[in-house]
């Protein structure tokens, strides 16, 4: 997997997923594996565009679930070809949504994979409908736990805060990503 700084990657085509992806939990894993399948079918690179730190860590001082180096190791094991790491800070935000969309255009995504609640831009104004005006967007159904509740980084942070460590790790589902490579886990 190659890693790239903001505005440094151009591609003739790709399959793209964008997100904070803190924790790379079961929901994120499902999203990336759906995108990966499409990328392999189309024989184009799979690109992940992520933020460091995650916006909720920056704005709300939320607990960080995965430091960047661990996130990159796990993304590589999931079969991601390129990861773009955007420093999430005041300077990035002054660039605004237009610059962000322009950067995505340079990647020529054939399809962008997101969950239904993906947001972007100032004050989280942009959503999948906004993104869909510029690109083809495929929406993944919310991935839930066995009790039927949607999995999210926020929920996992809350479980850790409540001392429900086993439950939190169950939703993170890290064992296959930390101990084996994806090809050997097949
Ligand atoms: C250009 C740009 C500006 C953003 N500005 C804000 C902001 O003002 N407030 C905020 O909470 N998040 C902001 N974000 C972060 C997004 O709301 C969101 O967290 C990010 O796109 C990742 O999506 P996800 O949280 O669904 O993973 C911005 C994102 C981008 C790309
Ligand atoms: N359980 C899930 N099922 C399907 N898609 C998901 C799930 N959780 C997150 N996603 C998608 O993954 C992408 C990145 O989302 P994000 O990193 O904000 O995850 P999150 O778990 O919702 O985080 P947070 O709770 O901090 O907001 C988005 O497109 C989002 O919709």
């Amino acid at each position: 997997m190659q890693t790239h700084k903001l505005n440094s990657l151009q591609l003739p085509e790709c399959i793209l997923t964008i997100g904070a992806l803190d924790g790379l939990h079961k929901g994120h894993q499902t999203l990336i594996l759906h995108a990966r399948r499409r990328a392999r079918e189309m024989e184009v690179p799979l690109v992940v565009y992520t933020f460091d730190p995650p916006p909720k860590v920056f704005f709300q001082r939320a607990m960080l679930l995965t430091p960047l180096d661990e996130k990159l190791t796990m993304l590589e094991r999931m079969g991601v070809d390129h990861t773009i790491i955007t420093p999430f800070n005041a300077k990035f935000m002054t660039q605004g949504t237009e610059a962000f969309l322009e950067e995505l255009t340079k990647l020529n995504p054939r399809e962008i994979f997101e969950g239904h609640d993906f947001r972007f831009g100032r004050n989280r104004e942009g959503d999948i409908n906004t993104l869909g005006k510029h690109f083809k967007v495929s929406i993944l159904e919310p991935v839930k736990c066995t009790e039927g509740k949607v999995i999210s980084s926020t929920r996992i942070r809350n479980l850790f805060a409540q001392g429900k460590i086993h439950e939190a790790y169950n939703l993170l589902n890290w064992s296959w990503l930390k101990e084996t490579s994806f090809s050997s886990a097949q």
Side-chain angles (χ1 to χ4, degrees):
M1 182 177 80
Q2 292 178 27
T3 55
H4 307 269
K5 293 181 183 155
L6 179 66
N7 281 319
S8 66
L9 181 65
Q10 288 201 23
L11 289 169
E13 51 187 352
C14 73
I15 293 293
L16 178 65
T17 299
I18 311 158
L21 302 169
D22 189 25
L24 282 172
H25 57 64
K26 270 183 191 171
H28 298 148
Q29 291 167 27
T30 308
L31 181 70
I32 291 170
L33 294 182
H34 271 75
R36 193 186 87 132
R37 190 185 310 142
R38 186 59 53 88
R40 299 297 185 261
E41 275 165 17
M42 291 184 165
E43 300 183 343
V44 301
L46 172 59
V47 180
V48 166
Y49 186 117
T50 193
F51 302 90
D52 180 50
K56 279 191 183 157
V57 173
F58 178 82
F59 281 111
Q60 298 166 22
R61 295 173 186 259
M63 171 194 172
L64 181 69
L65 296 171
T66 21
L68 183 62
D69 58 341
E70 287 182 27
K71 192 197 261 190
L72 293 176
T73 301
M74 291 195 274
L75 288 172
E76 181 159 33
R77 289 187 175 163
M78 277 185 229
V80 173
D81 298 301
H82 299 273
T83 296
I84 299 169
I85 307 153
T86 293
F88 196 83
N89 52 31
K91 187 175 168 225
F92 170 73
M93 283 185 297
T94 56
Q95 280 197 24
T97 306
E98 288 309 312
F100 172 68
L101 290 171
E102 221 171 276
E103 189 185 6
L104 300 187
T105 304
K106 287 189 197 143
L107 302 172
N108 287 300
R110 304 253 313 252
E111 223 168 309
I112 302 181
F113 280 72
E114 296 298 339
H116 71 285
D117 62 351
F118 172 72
R119 315 292 300 202
F120 68 96
R122 196 158 297 134
N123 301 320
R124 300 176 60 84
E125 281 163 356
D127 60 13
I128 47 175
N129 295 317
T130 327
L131 198 63
K133 289 184 183 144
H134 303 266
F135 306 101
K136 180 177 180 197
V137 182
S138 289
I139 314 295
L140 184 81
E141 288 294 311
V143 176
K144 298 175 181 168
C145 67
T146 46
E147 289 158 17
K149 286 198 252 171
V150 176
I151 299 170
S152 72
S153 308
T154 303
R155 191 175 152 205
I156 294 167
R157 289 184 194 110
N158 290 338
L159 288 170
F160 276 121
Q162 292 161 23
K164 297 181 179 171
I165 311 295
H166 180 76
E167 214 179 314
Y169 277 110
N170 185 31
L171 302 186
L172 285 167
N173 191 37
W174 277 344
S175 52
W176 71 279
L177 284 174
K178 291 210 159 183
E179 285 157 21
T180 55
S181 69
F182 184 75
S183 49
S184 61
Q186 293 273 323

